[in-house]
Amino acid sequence: MATVKEMRTRIGSVKSTQKITKALQMVAAAKLRRAQVATEAARPYAQRMSAIISNLASGVSGPSAPLLLAGTGSDKRHLVVVATSDRGLAGAFNSSIVRAARIKIAALIDEGKDVKIITVGRKARDQLRRQYGERFVFSYELGLKAPNLALVHPIARQILELYTAGEFDVVTLIYNRFKSVVTQIPTLKQLIPAQVEASGEAGAFYDYEPDEETILTELLPQNISVQLLSALLENQAGFFASQMAAMDNATRNAGDLIKALTILMNRTRQAKITTELTEIVAGAAAV
Amino acid sequence: MSKIQFDLVSPERLLLSQQVDMVTIPGSEGYMGIMAGHMALVSTLRAGMIDMKDNGVDTRFFIKGGFAEINAIHITVLAEEAIPMTELDLAVLDQRILDAQEDEIAAETDAQRQKAAQLVDDLKLARAAF
């Protein structure tokens, strides 16, 4: 059995771990609130943009439709963009994204498709590198700042360049949708060709200034950036929520452990005192 | 006079959503005044000022390009960046001009260069107006 001194050291180390998890939990809770506000503030833009695009798309079809909208007509070569966070200590947050990505990638490979991967966030890179490292096109890190347009522009530009160079037919984005503080759902979203929901008010005739083509060639790339941005914002909010829950659990577990260890330590100490006393009494009686 | 619903959104936030009398937007082919009953139109926007009139009160916003979707009862402006005039100052504008000038120099294709140059000109105009 461990000695009292050993147990005291152990309790001390669990206590300092608990302090760290507690601090991380509070930091995550504070950041979560800000991230949630940012996510909700960014939603109207993305929603209205897809509304405009689906309006436009119902008007353009056939061979004249731009590549980003209509696709290349094939679905042989896939690009999968996996977005996670840079950091860990957030429960199953990153692994659930990576698991969804693995399933998707494996399914595509089984179908005989050609798959390439772009990772956004350090965790996606680290967790997928061993299995699919040779399929990586590029890896991005998020850095410490909150996601903004300046951050996603280079990623969007690279995707667009590869796409217009004819490297891919389909681009899919994988991230965690922030449903609530307790639920984040790994989500697959097809970026290219743009997915257009059939709008109820189809047939609204719009005039275009300067013209349809110019607008679509500006709108569609911008749409990629915006989709990416909203995915990263959802990820960020989900990450903090998940981290908060994970650290809350860890703090509670540490508390339980400290309680159990303290009881054990006190018992051991008491047992030792009792033994010593019995020995002294027995010794005195023998004299 | 019937009013028109005006929504101004930037990627970061929804700046405004309300009924107004008239909105003037910097369309790519020139400034346009939009009132209720306007024909359906989608236009790209240049950098410039949005001028919103409601009950005789003027409110202005600076935007850095974007899109507008207009129909008879609704106008939605998707701005790449939008700043209310009250929060705008010259330092911000100067910074945007510098950025655009750098883009112009760094541009790889003629189309990009033209676009950046256009942005520089528009920003300078906005600065002069300010």
Side-chain angles (χ1 to χ4, degrees), chain A residues 14-26:
Chain A
V14 175
K15 262 188 188 151
S16 46
T17 308
Q18 189 190 30
K19 266 184 206 145
I20 295 170
T21 56
K22 180 90 194 158
L24 255 178
Q25 184 217 331
M26 289 195 293

Side-chain angles (χ1 to χ4, degrees), chain A:
Chain A
M1 197 196 278
T3 64
V4 175
K5 186 159 191 292
E6 275 167 10
M7 275 187 269
R8 195 168 285 141
T9 334
R10 177 92 200 280
I11 290 171
S13 88
V14 175
K15 262 188 188 151
S16 46
T17 308
Q18 189 190 30
K19 266 184 206 145
I20 295 170
T21 56
K22 180 90 194 158
L24 255 178
Q25 184 217 331
M26 289 195 293
V27 170
K31 286 189 175 166
L32 168 64
R33 219 158 300 139
R34 219 175 309 144
Q36 228 175 323
V37 171
T39 311
E40 268 150 31
R43 263 182 204 154
Y45 191 89
Q47 276 167 359
R48 294 210 161 80
M49 183 161 254
S50 42
I52 293 186
I53 288 178
S54 56
N55 259 333
L56 281 170
S58 55
V60 267
S61 56
S64 65
L67 271 184
L68 288 173
L69 196 60
T72 51
S74 143
D75 68 340
K76 185 83 191 59
R77 292 158 307 160
H78 284 250
L79 174 68
V80 179
V81 183
V82 186
T84 60
S85 66
D86 268 357
R87 286 155 193 288
L89 290 180
F93 178 79
N94 287 313
S95 16
S96 68
I97 301 175
V98 171
R99 191 180 321 122
R102 281 216 180 94
I103 292 169
K104 174 75 178 167
I105 293 166
L108 286 172
I109 293 172
D110 277 353
E111 286 168 31
K113 314 279 193 213
D114 190 13
V115 186
K116 291 271 184 266
I117 301 167
I118 286 184
T119 62
V120 182
R122 214 181 296 152
K123 288 287 161 185
R125 185 194 64 196
D126 294 349
Q127 294 188 20
L128 287 170
R129 181 162 45 196
R130 197 161 47 86
Q131 202 175 354
Y132 296 115
E134 78 282 3
R135 295 177 188 272
F136 279 15
V137 182
F138 214 89
S139 296
Y140 292 91
E141 282 188 17
L142 296 169
L144 289 171
K145 274 204 255 163
N148 54 21
L149 268 188
L151 177 81
V152 300
H153 266 319
I155 307 174
R157 200 173 304 137
Q158 169 136 37
I159 294 173
L160 285 168
E161 267 169 24
L162 289 170
Y163 192 79
T164 36
E167 302 259 337
F168 302 107
D169 301 316
V170 181
V171 181
T172 313
L173 172 67
I174 301 179
Y175 66 102
N176 250 347
R177 193 159 61 81
F178 180 82
K179 189 169 173 235
S180 72
V181 177
V182 283
T183 331
Q184 293 90 42
I185 305 165
T187 308
L188 279 73
K189 191 188 255 174
Q190 184 175 317
L191 282 183
I192 308 174
Q195 279 190 313
V196 179
E197 305 119 46
S199 60
E201 46 192 320
F205 289 106
Y206 280 93
D207 255 28
Y208 300 99
E209 210 171 285
D211 55 70
E212 239 169 79
E213 213 187 299
T214 320
I215 290 185
L216 276 175
T217 50
E218 291 216 11
L219 201 56
L220 291 169
Q222 178 74 6
N223 184 45
I224 305 277
S225 300
V226 170
Q227 300 280 6
L228 264 174
L229 176 66
S230 71
L232 291 187
L233 285 169
E234 300 249 344
N235 252 357
Q236 192 203 17
F239 171 78
F240 288 130
S242 188
Q243 180 167 58
M244 191 177 76
M247 288 301 111
D248 185 39
N249 261 335
T251 310
R252 211 165 320 125
N253 286 344
D256 290 349
L257 192 57
I258 290 170
K259 222 180 275 166
L261 278 173
T262 313
I263 289 173
L264 189 63
M265 184 185 78
N266 288 342
R267 272 206 195 121
T268 318
R269 196 187 58 208
Q270 199 55 53
K272 208 176 135 210
I273 293 169
T274 316
T275 323
E276 274 172 15
L277 271 179
T278 328
E279 278 166 9
I280 292 169
V281 172
V287 175

Side-chain angles (χ1 to χ4, degrees), chain A residues 37-38 41-45 48-49 51-52 55-56 147-149 153 157 161 201 204-210 214-215 218-220 222 226 229 233, chain B residues 7 9-14 17 27-30 32 39-45 66-71 74 76-81 108 112 115:
Chain A
V37 171
R43 263 182 204 154
Y45 191 89
R48 294 210 161 80
M49 183 161 254
I52 293 186
N55 259 333
L56 281 170
N148 54 21
L149 268 188
H153 266 319
R157 200 173 304 137
E161 267 169 24
E201 46 192 320
F205 289 106
Y206 280 93
D207 255 28
Y208 300 99
E209 210 171 285
T214 320
I215 290 185
E218 291 216 11
L219 201 56
L220 291 169
Q222 178 74 6
V226 170
L229 176 66
L233 285 169
Chain B
D7 290 351
V9 285
S10 76
E12 276 89 20
R13 64 186 169 134
L14 174 69
S17 177
S28 51
E29 317 272 83
M32 291 185 276
M39 72 171 178
L41 173 75
V42 174
S43 173
T44 52
L45 302 178
F67 308 91
E69 186 199 25
I70 298 152
N71 61 35
H74 207 132
T76 306
V77 172
L78 299 175
E80 270 173 45
E81 187 184 9
E108 282 159 14
Q112 277 176 4
K115 219 176 128 190

